[in-house]
Amino acid sequence: MRSVRISLLYCFTLLVWGVWGGHGVLAADFALPPGYPERVLGSAHAPVTLYEYSSLTCPHCADFHRQTLPKLKASHIETGKVRLVLRDYPLDRLSMVGAMMARCAPEAHYYKIMELLFSSQQAMVSAENPLAFLKQTGRLAGMSETDLDACFANESLLASIQQVQERARETFDVRSTPSFVIDRALYTGALSYEALSEALDRALVHKGVSR
């Protein structure tokens, strides 16, 4: 009987180890579909992960990237305490196409492209030809016309983004942008730097890391 209990405990331990990710969340909750490249800002060994669900045409998302993210970089990301993982949650066709273009770009340029698109959001949404605007941004990252056309025709990537969006709704009840997930807790709306910093600091303390 004792050996049976030990075996069951061992199996349970393996199950927990295999399901729970290194950042304290269910790995399955954040699993990515094939063809959807992960884009991480910060150290892969950071004890806390900030998941951001955003749309390129969302004004509050642009505010986060222009005003709040630079402060979080200095205080939490560049210090190795937090890593940012951006997940697409496009609210319209333009934001979907923009998200596809950024995912197709070389990995090293991803967050630079997103920063540029968010900083020029008003020009993008009001452009007479938004697709040409996106292509111009892609060319700045070294993408050719052939690369861009192939990216915009990539139905697999389109489906993957839609799957990520659906999983966010089902798992965390993400319904709007920007939305943030920290240790499985959902934070929505135009949160200030102070509010996000406080939430990240609580997560760090929970992981035994001093602020």
Side-chain angles (χ1 to χ4, degrees):
M1 180 64 71
R2 183 172 180 271
S3 62
V4 171
R5 289 176 181 173
I6 292 176
S7 297
L8 289 174
L9 178 60
Y10 178 73
C11 292
F12 178 75
T13 301
L14 288 179
L15 177 62
V16 171
W17 180 256
V19 171
W20 284 83
H23 293 80
V25 297
L26 284 172
D29 291 346
F30 295 105
L32 297 175
Y36 185 85
E38 185 75 291
R39 294 293 181 254
V40 178
L41 183 64
S43 171
H45 304 292
V48 170
T49 301
L50 170 64
Y51 289 90
E52 174 199 354
Y53 292 90
S54 67
S55 171
L56 281 166
T57 55
C58 158
H60 289 312
C61 299
D63 288 342
F64 168 75
H65 279 262
R66 285 195 304 254
Q67 301 171 18
T68 305
L69 183 54
K71 297 178 183 178
L72 286 177
K73 282 182 183 179
S75 63
H76 290 77
I77 296 174
E78 293 173 357
T79 56
K81 296 178 180 178
V82 172
R83 67 174 190 153
L84 173 69
V85 177
L86 199 157
R87 296 284 165 84
D88 301 301
Y89 199 95
L91 298 177
D92 51 37
R93 182 175 180 273
L94 178 56
S95 57
M96 172 63 84
V97 174
M100 292 175 67
M101 189 269 291
R103 294 279 164 185
C104 290
E107 183 175 358
H109 294 285
Y110 177 77
Y111 277 97
K112 295 177 183 177
I113 287 178
M114 297 302 288
E115 181 180 343
L116 180 58
L117 291 177
F118 277 123
S119 65
S120 56
Q121 183 185 81
Q122 189 56 45
M124 178 180 66
V125 299
S126 61
E128 184 175 345
N129 188 339
L131 185 61
F133 185 96
L134 288 174
K135 283 189 172 185
Q136 181 181 3
T137 304
R139 283 191 287 270
L140 292 175
M143 301 177 73
S144 67
E145 191 73 16
T146 301
D147 294 333
L148 291 162
D149 288 340
C151 178
F152 296 143
N154 190 334
E155 295 184 3
S156 176
L157 177 58
L158 172 65
S160 293
I161 293 176
Q162 291 172 332
Q163 289 176 38
V164 168
Q165 195 170 12
E166 181 180 357
R167 175 165 289 174
R169 285 193 295 264
E170 293 176 349
T171 306
F172 301 111
D173 198 31
V174 174
R175 303 287 172 179
S176 61
T177 58
S179 289
F180 305 92
V181 175
I182 305 171
D183 273 358
R184 294 183 56 77
L186 177 65
Y187 301 82
T188 61
L191 299 178
S192 66
Y193 163 75
E194 289 76 17
L196 273 175
S197 178
E198 182 180 346
L200 291 169
D201 287 344
R202 284 197 302 269
L204 286 167
V205 169
H206 182 68
K207 298 288 174 62
V209 180
S210 59
R211 292 179 289 180

